[in-house]
Amino acid sequence: MCGVVGIAAHSEVNQMLYDALTMLQHRGQDAAGIVTCQDGRLFLRKENGMVRDVFMTRHMMRLVGHQGIGHVRYPTAGTSSSAEAQPFYVNSPYGITLAHNGNLTNAEEIAKELFMEDMRHINTDSDSEVLLNVLAHEMQKLGIQHPSPDDIFEAMTSVYKRIEGAYAVVAMITGYGILAFRDPNGIRPLIFGQRLAENGGFEYVVASESVALTALGFDIVRDVKPGEAIFIDENNNFFSRQCVEAKEFRPCIFEYVYFARPDSIIDNISVYKARMRMGESLAQKIIKEWGEDHGIDVVIPIPDTSRTSAMELAQHLGVKYREGFMKNRYIGRTFIMPGQQQRKKSVRQKLSAVPFEFRNKNVLLVDDSIVRGTTCHEIIQMARDAGANNVYFASAAPPVKYPNVYGIDMPARNELIASGHSVEEVCKIIGADRLIFQDLDDLIEAVQDKHSDAKKFDCSVFDGKYIAGGIDEDYLDELQRKRSDKAKQKKSGIQDVADTPVDIVGVQTEV
């Protein structure tokens, strides 16, 4: 999962891009990058690390121009090398930079085509570089020195025909403008807004979540439609076109469960309200299955994502809600960290218990989901060490049983604790006295909103139904082989000569 942003303004965009990326930092803490354009020249800075660490004052001063794009990453495909930090750049044609959130499920097949037929070299394992080269090739096939918006949309129609999977993309065509597009199922989120500039013209921003727009003072216009491309030229004129027929609209439901900020609105659905409804429906299930005399003394969330659901759950159960864990905000998200030992160590560094809230109580811990189970086990043991009589556990999401192939790092089925285990077995493995999961139908109902066109969702991690097609057992087996913890540790054990600040020939960079 990653965060993308593109801005076309009438003033310098470097600070706006920086601020937008800080608002999207929760979507990727592994690397960050910004590229801007002025007078046909690109200025790039990208590196491993958090936004605040990647961009110093000297870097910001060099990122000049009225248009630019930015990216925050955690690696799903490829590696954690800074060579795979985004935006990516290709010099021909025109000079195109691209930032991508999602995953191309046919990336390997396309990479072979690019080499054998299009004579393009792919230098990394990133599907984003593959996507960039597909776009560049289709633009080059037009053979037009000065492409119009119609020409760009024609190229995009060809791009859509070649790529499969989930993607939300912002790209910048040097000297022409900013392009953004979304996959035909609308799996990955992408939204745009506008505001009136001091000179009377409009400025535009497109980003992964609405918080990046509102924080900069832009008005939300709407979400980019599935299969739609939008283009803002160098004079800030806005164009859009439906470049491919939209398929069944299925946004990723895990955005609402975990990834998105609670103050975001995605496809006209409030993430905050969706999580409130998750808590309400989970409370109803507890009363139904555990009875009115459930024995819960206190509800405690696993910070931060589950707070909204836990608070609503406690209210409907009629029990106390308490903050029992204090969080160290300088530790990243644990389920996306490679390696069981690293995740275990991180949990103890990330959270500390408040003994008073646990001592001699029956505690219900609430989390947004259970993926590998490592975090849950450690937290439950922390609750026991703090003096809890019984530790119950509730997940605001159903059991995660299947790998994600659309841009979330849940690739290895044998690393998902609910895959091949019953609820009772998972309860025993994580060390809880009781365990309850949200039902999938209840989760879908909680996320649905009368104001949104999204009535169905990509629930593949829960039901194994891969809506974009092309996914079979061979694909999943290969995915597990490449992206399991064991594979990642093997990769990280190799000395990576590319782990240095990046300089690209033809692009002015600052290190």
Side-chain angles (χ1 to χ4, degrees):
M1 190 63 62
C2 301
V4 300
V5 61
I7 299 178
H10 294 284
S11 58
E12 298 291 322
V13 296
N14 50 3
Q15 187 64 52
M16 286 188 282
L17 287 166
Y18 178 94
D19 292 342
L21 290 183
T22 61
M23 299 302 291
L24 298 173
Q25 184 74 85
H26 60 285
R27 300 187 67 86
Q29 302 168 8
D30 184 72
I34 290 175
V35 61
T36 59
C37 181
Q38 178 171 276
D39 299 328
R41 191 174 183 87
L42 298 178
F43 301 87
L44 171 70
R45 167 65 181 173
K46 62 177 184 175
E47 179 59 282
N48 283 354
M50 305 278 276
V51 174
R52 64 171 180 255
D53 299 320
V54 170
F55 301 101
M56 303 291 107
T57 301
R58 67 182 186 275
H59 306 132
M60 297 297 292
M61 292 178 67
R62 296 288 296 275
L63 294 171
V64 295
H66 295 178
Q67 291 194 344
I69 63 175
H71 186 268
V72 286
R73 177 197 74 176
Y74 90 75
T76 304
T79 69
S80 294
S81 163
S82 63
E84 296 192 9
Q86 297 185 42
F88 277 111
Y89 166 78
V90 66
N91 73 330
S92 179
Y94 316 117
I96 303 175
T97 47
L98 178 143
H100 164 224
N101 171 34
N103 184 51
L104 300 189
T105 55
N106 63 338
E108 287 194 12
E109 175 187 336
I110 298 176
K112 292 176 183 177
E113 291 178 0
L114 287 167
F115 179 73
M116 299 297 294
E117 300 174 20
D118 303 341
M119 292 179 288
R120 286 184 169 270
H121 174 69
I122 305 300
N123 199 50
T124 70
D125 294 326
S126 173
D127 62 331
S128 302
E129 189 188 10
V130 172
L131 178 52
L132 169 61
N133 277 273
V134 170
L135 174 60
H137 179 73
E138 297 303 328
M139 290 287 294
Q140 194 156 14
K141 278 172 59 179
L142 296 175
I144 298 173
Q145 186 172 3
H146 300 291
S148 68
D150 286 340
D151 297 325
I152 293 169
F153 291 142
E154 181 182 340
M156 275 306 309
T157 298
S158 299
V159 170
Y160 272 115
K161 291 177 180 178
R162 295 185 68 175
I163 60 178
E164 298 174 0
Y167 44 91
V169 179
V170 293
M172 187 164 59
I173 304 171
T174 306
Y176 292 95
I178 289 178
L179 172 70
F181 55 96
R182 190 181 185 188
D183 67 78
N185 291 105
I187 298 173
R188 300 267 68 89
L190 196 63
I191 188 171
F192 72 92
Q194 66 180 25
R195 71 181 183 188
L196 197 62
E198 291 182 1
N199 66 358
F202 279 107
E203 299 179 327
Y204 296 93
V205 59
V206 58
S208 295
E209 293 185 34
S210 62
V211 289
L213 280 60
T214 54
L216 297 178
F218 283 79
D219 297 321
I220 295 172
V221 176
R222 60 175 173 83
D223 296 273
V224 177
K225 298 174 184 177
E228 180 187 28
I230 65 174
F231 181 70
I232 304 122
D233 70 16
E234 59 181 345
N235 297 315
N236 283 15
N237 297 307
F238 180 90
F239 306 87
S240 68
R241 179 182 293 180
Q242 190 71 34
C243 292
V244 66
E245 184 179 353
K247 300 179 181 178
E248 188 174 25
F249 188 22
R250 292 277 191 116
C252 175
I253 205 166
F254 215 74
E255 290 279 355
Y256 303 94
V257 170
Y258 177 74
F259 271 105
R261 279 179 50 141
D263 47 344
S264 282
I265 297 172
I266 297 177
D267 292 310
N268 279 336
I269 298 171
S270 164
V271 176
Y272 181 80
K273 288 183 178 179
R275 290 178 184 169
M276 286 179 64
R277 293 190 290 265
M278 291 176 206
E280 180 181 350
S281 60
L282 193 53
Q284 293 171 353
K285 184 175 180 181
I286 289 174
I287 293 171
K288 180 180 178 180
E289 295 194 2
W290 295 1
E292 295 281 354
D293 188 18
H294 42 67
I296 300 169
D297 297 320
V298 62
V299 172
I300 293 177
I302 311 298
D304 289 313
T305 321
S306 63
R307 277 200 176 100
T308 308
S309 297
M311 195 175 299
E312 195 71 8
L313 185 151
Q315 181 178 339
H316 282 270
L317 288 182
V319 300
K320 294 177 181 179
Y321 169 90
R322 291 289 186 269
E323 294 284 343
F325 291 106
M326 297 297 108
K327 183 178 180 181
N328 180 347
R329 300 186 182 279
Y330 302 98
I331 302 293
R333 291 183 167 188
T334 52
F335 100 76
I336 62 176
M337 291 182 176
Q340 294 287 80
Q341 292 303 317
Q342 185 177 351
R343 280 187 288 271
K344 286 182 178 180
K345 180 180 179 182
S346 177
V347 172
R348 293 280 179 167
Q349 294 174 335
K350 180 180 180 180
L351 297 176
S352 59
V354 180
F356 174 81
E357 298 294 356
F358 293 91
R359 194 173 296 124
N360 300 323
K361 295 177 183 177
N362 295 329
V363 178
L364 176 65
L365 302 181
V366 181
D367 208 351
D368 49 75
S369 59
I370 300 176
V371 180
R372 291 173 171 93
T374 311
T375 302
C376 303
H377 183 273
E378 290 297 307
I379 290 173
I380 289 168
Q381 187 56 52
M382 289 171 65
R384 295 196 189 283
D385 293 344
N389 284 339
N390 291 287
V391 182
Y392 310 135
F393 206 96
S395 168
V400 176
K401 295 182 178 181
Y402 302 94
N404 184 280
V405 301
Y406 298 133
I408 302 176
D409 193 20
M410 301 178 190
R413 185 180 299 177
N414 63 358
E415 294 172 6
L416 304 175
I417 191 172
S419 179
H421 291 112
S422 67
V423 174
E424 292 74 19
E425 289 171 334
V426 173
C427 182
K428 185 175 181 180
I429 293 170
I430 65 175
D433 294 296
R434 267 181 169 178
L435 171 64
I436 193 164
F437 285 96
Q438 184 90 260
D439 290 331
L440 181 55
D441 288 344
D442 290 339
L443 175 61
I444 293 172
E445 185 177 353
V447 177
Q448 288 173 336
D449 191 291
K450 64 181 180 181
H451 301 294
S452 175
D453 293 332
K455 303 304 178 186
K456 297 182 179 180
F457 301 88
D458 166 50
C459 303
S460 54
V461 297
F462 305 125
D463 60 16
K465 298 177 181 178
Y466 298 100
I467 59 173
I471 307 301
D472 55 22
E473 285 299 318
D474 289 341
Y475 182 94
L476 296 177
D477 289 343
E478 181 68 9
L479 192 73
Q480 178 166 304
R481 184 186 70 80
K482 290 184 175 181
R483 301 190 195 172
S484 65
D485 273 349
K486 186 176 180 180
K488 289 178 181 177
Q489 289 170 341
K490 185 177 181 180
K491 269 189 176 182
S492 65
I494 301 173
Q495 181 68 32
D496 190 351
V497 296
D499 271 339
T500 56
V502 177
D503 286 308
I504 299 178
V505 177
V507 181
Q508 187 166 343
T509 67
E510 176 70 18
V511 298

